[in-house]
């Protein structure tokens, strides 16, 4: 009887183990791809935690509300305009600032000509300036006052080159305000610019106009709607696009892009005509 009992117990244990290891979750966890996914999710949360830790709120209440950030060894104080959509620091800007700081050797900003489109509060432009770049921060006319204020207070006597602030409405007077002959930008920076969906074609025209053959675009985008995916598809028609980093917990991706070879993809004039249709 004891022998039979032991055999039956052993047999039941085997059934338990067999059923356990045949469970889909177990197969998923034993899959090397699943291990990679778990590791990537862990890495994502670790990096996102580090990025968000760069923000701080003032301990004292002042007459002017501001938000604080730590980048490039400096305390950066940003004043937001809550009545204006473009004058708020969004997570994409933090991702781009963190990338510029932590990849300063590979993407060296020192003495480089850099333009930021849709600069908003100016945080990304400030970080690029503190890293040594010649920065031109651009946005719509109604945002320039707050943008200039933030850039001046955070770069004066701290940056190697004093940043410029210029108006740039996508697709408007580009030849007049930013003539191709004088466009000599090493980098174009853009954080969360794909939100004004009626103006995405104008945004594409602006990217194309500001780029020369060697210009590197560093572009961070939060995916909200299907139109973001469609814009990426349109963007790939003109630019070679590479995804550098992804932050699933924030629905944010960081891209590097450069113009496609014009000899293979038609003249700039023809492409601009195509975009304006």
């Amino acid at each position: 009887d004891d022998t039979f009992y032991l055999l039956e117990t052993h047999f039941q244990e085997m059934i338990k183990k067999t059923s356990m290891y045949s469970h889909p979750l177990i197969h998923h966890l034993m899959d090397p791809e699943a291990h990679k996914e778990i590791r990537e999710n862990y890495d994502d949360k670790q990096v996102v935690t580090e990025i968000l830790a760069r923000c701080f709120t003032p301990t004292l209440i002042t007459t002017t509300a501001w938000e604080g950030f730590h980048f490039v060894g400096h305390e950066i104080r940003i004043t937001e305009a809550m009545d204006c959509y473009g004058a708020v620091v969004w997570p994409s800007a933090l991702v781009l600032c963190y990338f510029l700081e932590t990849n300063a050797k590979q993407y060296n900003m020192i003495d480089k000509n850099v333009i930021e489109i849709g600069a908003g509060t100016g945080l990304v432009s400030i970080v690029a300036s503190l890293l040594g770049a010649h920065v031109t921060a651009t946005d719509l006319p109604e945002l320039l006052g707050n943008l200039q204020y933030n850039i001046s207070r955070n770069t004066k006597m701290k940056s190697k080159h004093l940043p410029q602030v210029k108006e740039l409405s996508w697709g408007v007077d580009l030849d007049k305000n930013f003539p191709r002959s004088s466009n000599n930008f090493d980098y174009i920076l853009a954080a969360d610019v794909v939100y004004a969906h009626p103006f995405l074609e104008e945004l594409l025209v602006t990217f194309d106009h500001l780029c020369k053959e060697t210009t590197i675009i560093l572009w961070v985008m939060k995916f909200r709607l299907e139109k973001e995916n469609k814009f990426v598809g349109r963007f790939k028609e003109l630019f070679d696009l590479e995804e550098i980093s992804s932050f699933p917990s924030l629905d944010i991706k960081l891209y590097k892009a450069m113009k496609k070879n014009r000899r293979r993809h038609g003249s700039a004039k023809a492409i601009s005509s195509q975009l304006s249709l």
Side-chain angles (χ1 to χ4, degrees):
D1 287 346
D2 289 341
T3 303
F4 179 77
Y5 175 75
L6 289 171
L7 287 171
E8 184 180 30
T9 302
H10 179 67
F11 182 66
Q12 288 175 349
E13 286 298 318
M14 286 179 64
I15 291 174
K16 283 182 183 180
K17 288 181 180 180
T18 303
S19 61
M20 179 180 74
Y21 284 108
S22 64
H23 193 280
L25 178 61
I26 297 301
H27 281 294
H28 176 71
L29 292 175
M30 293 177 70
D31 185 354
E33 286 299 316
H35 282 285
K36 181 182 177 184
E37 181 182 340
I38 292 168
R39 186 171 64 253
E40 286 176 351
N41 288 339
Y42 176 77
D43 291 342
D44 169 49
K45 288 183 172 60
Q46 289 284 98
V47 176
V48 168
T49 299
E50 167 62 21
I51 292 171
L52 297 180
R54 299 302 186 95
C55 314
F56 69 93
T57 52
T59 54
L60 296 175
I61 298 174
T62 59
T63 53
T64 304
W66 56 274
E67 194 172 357
F69 303 89
H70 288 295
F71 287 107
V72 202
H74 292 274
E75 178 184 295
I76 301 170
R77 296 188 178 192
I78 294 293
T79 299
E80 297 180 330
M82 299 307 294
D83 59 339
C84 187
Y85 192 76
V88 176
V89 177
W90 300 103
S92 293
L94 299 180
V95 169
L96 187 47
C97 289
Y98 181 83
F99 177 82
L100 292 176
E101 180 184 5
T102 55
N103 293 272
K105 288 186 178 179
Q106 185 176 357
Y107 297 92
N108 183 6
M109 293 282 127
I110 297 173
D111 298 330
K112 297 297 192 297
N113 289 319
V114 174
I115 186 169
E116 184 186 5
I117 61 174
T121 62
L123 180 60
V124 173
S125 287
I126 291 164
V127 170
S129 179
L130 293 173
L131 287 167
H134 291 275
V135 176
T136 302
T138 70
D139 215 312
L140 297 170
E142 59 268 28
L143 298 176
L144 297 186
N146 188 61
L147 176 58
Q148 181 68 70
Y149 173 74
N150 283 328
I151 285 180
S152 296
R153 78 183 294 196
N154 289 289
T155 61
K156 195 173 182 180
M157 307 299 290
K158 298 177 183 177
S159 295
K160 185 177 182 181
H161 310 288
L162 193 64
Q164 283 187 297
V165 174
K166 290 185 69 173
E167 176 186 341
L168 174 54
S169 300
W170 298 340
V172 177
D173 293 330
L174 294 176
D175 289 319
K176 176 185 173 184
N177 298 326
F178 296 89
R180 285 186 185 272
S181 58
S182 61
N183 285 350
N184 192 33
F185 299 115
D186 299 294
Y187 291 96
I188 296 176
L189 306 179
D192 227 2
V193 291
V194 184
Y195 65 87
H197 294 129
F199 304 103
L200 293 186
E201 286 301 315
E202 289 82 357
L203 173 59
L204 199 55
V205 169
T206 302
F207 270 126
D208 181 72
H209 181 85
L210 295 173
C211 270
K212 60 178 184 177
E213 298 299 322
T214 56
T215 302
I216 295 173
I217 298 172
L218 294 175
W219 165 34
V220 182
M221 178 166 145
K222 182 177 177 67
F223 287 79
R224 302 178 180 87
L225 303 169
E226 180 59 27
K227 288 185 177 180
E228 275 92 40
N229 292 312
K230 289 181 179 177
F231 181 80
V232 171
R234 292 284 288 115
F235 191 88
K236 285 180 178 179
E237 294 174 14
L238 298 181
F239 298 92
D240 291 316
L241 190 65
E242 176 189 353
E243 182 182 313
I244 297 178
S245 297
S246 178
F247 303 90
S249 61
L250 297 174
D251 291 322
I252 286 174
K253 291 185 178 183
L254 169 62
Y255 294 106
K256 171 188 174 182
M258 295 184 75
K259 263 188 177 179
K260 288 188 174 181
N261 191 314
R262 289 300 189 216
R263 286 168 291 183
R264 289 186 290 120
H265 299 277
S267 68
K269 186 175 181 181
I271 289 174
S272 295
S273 299
Q274 177 192 356
L275 290 173
S276 61
L277 294 176

